[in-house]
Amino acid sequence: MKTGLAGRKAIVCASSKGLGRACAEALAAEGCDVLINGRTVETVTETAAAVRKAFPAVEVREVPGDVTRGDVQEALAHAWDAPDILVNNAGGPPPGDFREWAKDDWIRALDANMLTAIMLIKATVDGMMERGFGRIVNITSAAVKSPIETLGLSNGARAGLTGFCAGLARQTVARNVTINGLLPGPFATDRLRQTMTGRAASGESLEEAMAREARDNPAGRFGDPDEFGAACVFLCSAQAGFITGQNLVLDGGAFRGTL
Ligand code: NAP
């Protein structure tokens, strides 16, 4: 299938590692120009160099910085004159008990996992609609469909983004601008190791706990970030213009629902 992505310009937030990086690499493999973002400058530089080396025909720009900061959002939104694709992503909030979270903890989670994405959509969506092409993909979490008890900050903030985008997606699709969510279940990234820490049973090491979790998934394994990148490419492709306001769970079947 030809995805029609060659020469398109993508903003991929939080893309120096993990799922964001997998999306940037998969888009670059289709000939799409990408930017790499993350807070750690060295990781941004290393990842950008690796993507350039692997895909020499595409342009790779570096926009280091915390995606929740206004000046970084400005730099991301204006990194390309006419961005075609926006992949929203940021680190996930910490686990915990809601009784211990102060208002500031909620504001931080809402900022990273809801408001930042909305600000970047606001900065790019009208241009996409004028040009007649746009693909917006929000990396959220399987917790949007099936909440994880210890991740209340994530459950709440991501559900807010999903609800907002459900309304907006119907206002942009007639101009060939789609907005969809990709909902990761357990993918083998640094974040998974973080969220697994503390979920080990007594006497169980982190490695043993991770092996148990992988075995318990219907697929018998964790997801490979490349599989996530491939789903992102499809939602960004020319062929996906009739898919909008959807939330695709990638979890090996762990969510036990028929719809
Ligand atoms: P990861 O492997 O830890 O990678 C996170 C990436 O985001 C890194 O490049 C990190 O670089 C960057 N980043 C984090 N906070 C940022 C910020 N404020 N501004 C700019 N860049 C930032 O995590 P991941 O597994 O790819 O997860 C991506 C998202 O999916 C997270 O929101 C996570 O909660 C969610 N998720 C993941 C899983 C899973 O199993 N992996 C499951 C459900 C949901 P720096 O640290 O240098 O900034």
Side-chain angles (χ1 to χ4, degrees), residues 14-20 37-40 43 65-68 89-93 113 139-142 158 184-192 194:
S15 49
S16 59
K17 289 205 279 182
L19 303 179
N37 161 253
R39 291 164 302 181
T40 315
T43 321
D66 187 328
V67 76
T68 63
N89 187 28
N113 298 112
I139 300 180
T140 59
S141 171
R158 297 185 201 276
F187 276 81
T189 66
D190 291 356
R191 167 73 177 174
L192 184 69
Q194 269 171 26

Side-chain angles (χ1 to χ4, degrees), residues 67-212:
V67 76
T68 63
R69 281 177 38 181
D71 58 335
V72 177
Q73 290 165 13
E74 187 84 359
L76 287 163
H78 295 103
W80 307 110
D81 285 343
D84 302 295
I85 292 165
L86 168 63
V87 180
N88 279 311
N89 187 28
D97 182 330
F98 87 98
R99 292 167 191 82
E100 284 156 22
W101 294 327
K103 187 172 174 183
D104 281 349
D105 297 308
W106 278 103
I107 300 293
R108 264 194 298 279
L110 291 170
D111 209 15
N113 298 112
M114 178 181 175
L115 301 177
T116 292
I118 294 172
M119 290 301 113
L120 285 167
I121 292 170
K122 181 179 163 191
T124 55
V125 75
D126 289 340
M128 291 176 181
M129 288 173 71
E130 276 159 29
R131 295 187 292 277
F133 181 91
R135 298 286 183 262
I136 297 171
V137 173
N138 299 319
I139 300 180
T140 59
S141 171
V144 168
K145 287 221 173 173
S146 178
I148 299 169
E149 288 83 341
T150 54
L151 290 175
L153 291 169
S154 172
N155 299 338
R158 297 185 201 276
L161 176 64
T162 304
F164 167 74
C165 286
L168 184 62
R170 274 77 187 183
Q171 300 167 53
T172 63
V173 64
R175 310 299 292 267
N176 194 19
V177 178
T178 67
I179 309 176
N180 292 292
L182 279 179
L183 283 54
F187 276 81
T189 66
D190 291 356
R191 167 73 177 174
L192 184 69
R193 291 185 72 83
Q194 269 171 26
T195 53
M196 282 296 304
T197 306
R199 273 158 64 185
S202 77
E204 198 180 35
S205 70
L206 177 61
E207 299 309 325
E208 286 165 345
M210 290 188 69
R212 174 176 49 76

